[in-house]
């Protein structure tokens, strides 16, 4: 005779069956957002609140802090000692960024930040007063420097690399883009016009919300025209989609991957060395700095320069303009 289960027995059997089935499956690891108390969607938006470059910089700062005996949470005394030890080797700007990274790491875990303590504040004040806060400024690559470099670039025996380097320097100078913006340019971002070229920048260092902006490069005379140099590079390289500026092998072949920001610095340094200059004084930023300096020398107003560079205010721009203005002060004797 078939046994009839009571409701309680039936529920118990069902629960047992579900437990057995669950135990036979591989346990699922909850999403990181769930573990941290946020939904996966919220965690995605939190992660997108900072640029990839900022996250890499903060991760590097925390790694250095941990490698030197630091921990999260940290006491104000331990943080002050860390800053004091590093002050002998690192710049003030680097120390301030590391302090920010450690401060944010505490806040993200809802911990009291030692960076707010009076001890740490006084240590940083002492470091600033002792070592100063002046940041290293690279030498700008102004118009005459650029034209001299182009002459030497044309003497290379690799036509593809020559075309790439010429276009990179001319477009980098004329657009006044940051290195990260320059290497991120894609063919899809280019709009050719009768009087020049428009380049759309989807995002940049000062455009954290990715509103995007457009840079216009006008035609110039002869071989110094950045628009024609770029068109020649795209033609000789066969690039019709994806990244515009790419690596070129020693056999003068175009790679699939785009250039890194550091590669821009290497091209600039090599071009300066060819004309007998000091490569240590320049970097990839020298092209952008050169545009700002040259524009100020031509008498362009700060707001006009900012239209091209994307600077949010005149504060940063002033370090390029003020030296030019100083050199124009007439003698009172």
């Amino acid at each position: 005779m078939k046994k009839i289960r009571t409701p309680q027995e039936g529920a118990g059997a069902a629960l047992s069956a579900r437990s057995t089935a669950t135990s036979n499956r591989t346990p699922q690891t909850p999403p990181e957002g769930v573990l941290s108390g946020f939904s996966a969607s919220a965690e995605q938006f939190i992660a997108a609140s900072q640029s990839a470059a900022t996250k890499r910089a903060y991760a590097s700062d925390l790694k250095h802090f941990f490698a030197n005996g630091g921990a999260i949470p940290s006491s104000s005394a331990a943080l002050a000692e860390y800053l004091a030890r590093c002050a002998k080797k690192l710049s003030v700007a680097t120390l301030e960024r590391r302090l920010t990274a450690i401060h944010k790491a505490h806040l993200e875990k809802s911990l009291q930040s030692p960076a707010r303590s009076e001890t740490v504040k006084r240590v940083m004040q002492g470091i600033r007063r002792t070592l100063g806060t002046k940041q290293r400024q690279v030498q700008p690559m102004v118009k005459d420097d650029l034209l001299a470099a182009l002459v030497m670039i044309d003497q290379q025996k690799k036509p593809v690399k020559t075309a790439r380097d010429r276009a990179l320097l001319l477009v980098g100078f004329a657009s006044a883009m940051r290195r990260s913006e320059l290497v991120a340019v894609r063919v899809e971002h280019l709009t050719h016009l009768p009087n020049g070229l428009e380049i759309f920048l989807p995002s940049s260092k000062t455009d954290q919300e990715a509103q995007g902006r457009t840079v216009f490069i006008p035609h110039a005379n002869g071989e110094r025209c950045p628009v024609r140099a770029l068109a020649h590079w795209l033609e000789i390289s066969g690039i019709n989609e994806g990244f515009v500026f790419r690596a070129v092998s020693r056999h003068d072949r175009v790679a699939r991957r785009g250039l890194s920001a550091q590669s821009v610095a290497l091209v600039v340094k090599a071009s300066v060395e060819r004309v007998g200059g000091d490569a240590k004084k320049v970097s990839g930023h020298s092209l952008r700095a050169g545009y700002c300096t040259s524009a100020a020398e031509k008498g362009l107003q700060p707001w006009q320069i900012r239209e091209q560079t994307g600077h949010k205010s005149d504060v940063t721009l002033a370090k390029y303009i003020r030296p030019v203005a100083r050199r124009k002060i007439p003698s009172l004797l």
Side-chain angles (χ1 to χ4, degrees):
M1 186 174 179
K2 187 177 179 180
K3 182 180 178 181
I4 300 175
R5 293 180 179 176
T6 65
Q8 291 80 1
E9 289 174 331
L15 180 61
S16 175
R18 284 197 298 270
S19 300
T20 302
T22 302
S23 64
N24 290 334
R25 290 198 302 265
T26 303
Q28 299 279 330
T29 302
E32 187 178 346
V34 174
L35 293 175
S36 60
F38 298 105
S39 67
S41 297
E43 192 74 16
Q44 272 188 326
F45 289 122
I46 291 171
S49 66
Q50 292 178 334
S51 69
T54 300
K55 283 186 274 192
R56 284 195 300 269
Y58 284 170
S60 175
D61 293 333
L62 289 175
K63 183 178 179 180
H64 186 271
F65 180 55
F66 296 149
N68 284 269
I72 304 293
S74 172
S75 67
S76 57
L79 179 55
E81 287 293 339
Y82 166 76
L83 294 171
R85 287 197 306 272
C86 293
K88 300 175 182 178
K89 302 177 182 178
L90 303 176
S91 68
V92 174
T94 300
L95 282 177
E96 288 177 334
R97 194 192 68 204
R98 293 210 166 141
L99 185 59
T100 301
I102 295 165
H103 170 68
K104 286 185 176 294
H106 280 80
L107 296 186
E108 286 175 0
K109 294 180 178 294
S110 300
L111 298 170
Q112 185 173 354
S113 173
R116 289 175 172 166
S117 74
E118 190 62 28
T119 301
V120 172
K121 288 179 180 179
R122 291 186 68 179
V123 167
M124 277 306 302
Q125 185 179 18
I127 290 173
R128 293 188 193 98
R129 287 174 63 89
T130 304
L131 303 178
T133 57
K134 183 179 180 180
Q135 293 184 331
R136 172 182 174 263
Q137 282 186 259
V138 297
Q139 181 176 303
M141 197 171 193
V142 295
K143 177 183 172 181
D144 290 342
D145 299 328
L146 177 63
L147 297 180
L150 292 175
V151 171
M152 300 304 295
I153 281 178
D154 289 341
Q155 295 181 10
Q156 295 183 100
K157 296 181 179 180
K158 297 179 179 180
V160 175
K161 187 175 185 300
T162 296
R164 195 275 313 271
D165 290 354
R166 168 175 276 275
L168 185 71
L169 291 184
L170 282 169
V171 172
F173 177 87
S175 66
M177 286 190 282
R178 298 176 179 86
R179 295 177 306 163
S180 58
E181 297 168 343
L182 188 59
V183 298
V185 173
R186 301 175 68 89
V187 174
E188 301 81 51
H189 300 156
L190 307 179
T191 302
H192 295 273
L193 302 171
N195 60 334
L197 174 73
E198 281 187 346
I199 303 177
F200 177 67
L201 307 181
S203 63
S204 63
K205 180 181 177 181
T206 56
D207 181 21
Q208 296 291 325
E209 296 182 3
Q211 295 180 356
R213 69 183 184 92
T214 300
V215 174
F216 175 70
I217 301 177
H219 281 294
N221 296 324
E223 296 182 351
R224 67 179 66 173
C225 178
V227 180
R228 280 193 283 270
L230 181 60
H232 176 61
W233 156 244
L234 292 175
E235 181 182 2
I236 196 173
S237 64
I239 296 173
N240 52 30
E241 64 177 359
F243 291 113
V244 168
F245 294 111
R246 305 186 186 184
V248 176
S249 72
R250 61 179 180 173
H251 302 296
D252 213 30
R253 295 176 182 173
V254 181
R256 291 179 178 273
R257 69 181 187 278
L259 281 181
S260 65
Q262 180 60 27
S263 297
V264 178
L266 295 177
V267 172
V268 172
K269 287 177 178 293
S271 66
V272 169
E273 278 187 334
R274 290 191 193 100
V275 295
D278 187 353
K280 294 180 180 178
K281 293 183 178 180
V282 295
S283 73
H285 185 69
S286 293
L287 294 172
R288 180 172 166 87
Y291 176 89
C292 296
T293 303
S294 298
E297 289 175 345
K298 283 287 186 181
L300 270 67
Q301 296 301 308
W303 67 268
Q304 293 174 304
I305 301 174
R306 283 196 286 108
E307 279 289 314
Q308 188 73 352
T309 64
H311 283 109
K312 294 297 183 182
S313 69
D314 292 341
V315 176
T316 306
L317 195 59
K319 65 183 180 182
Y320 306 109
I321 297 176
R322 281 175 184 163
V324 175
R326 277 200 306 269
R327 293 164 197 154
K328 291 182 179 181
I329 295 175
S331 172
L332 299 179
L333 298 176

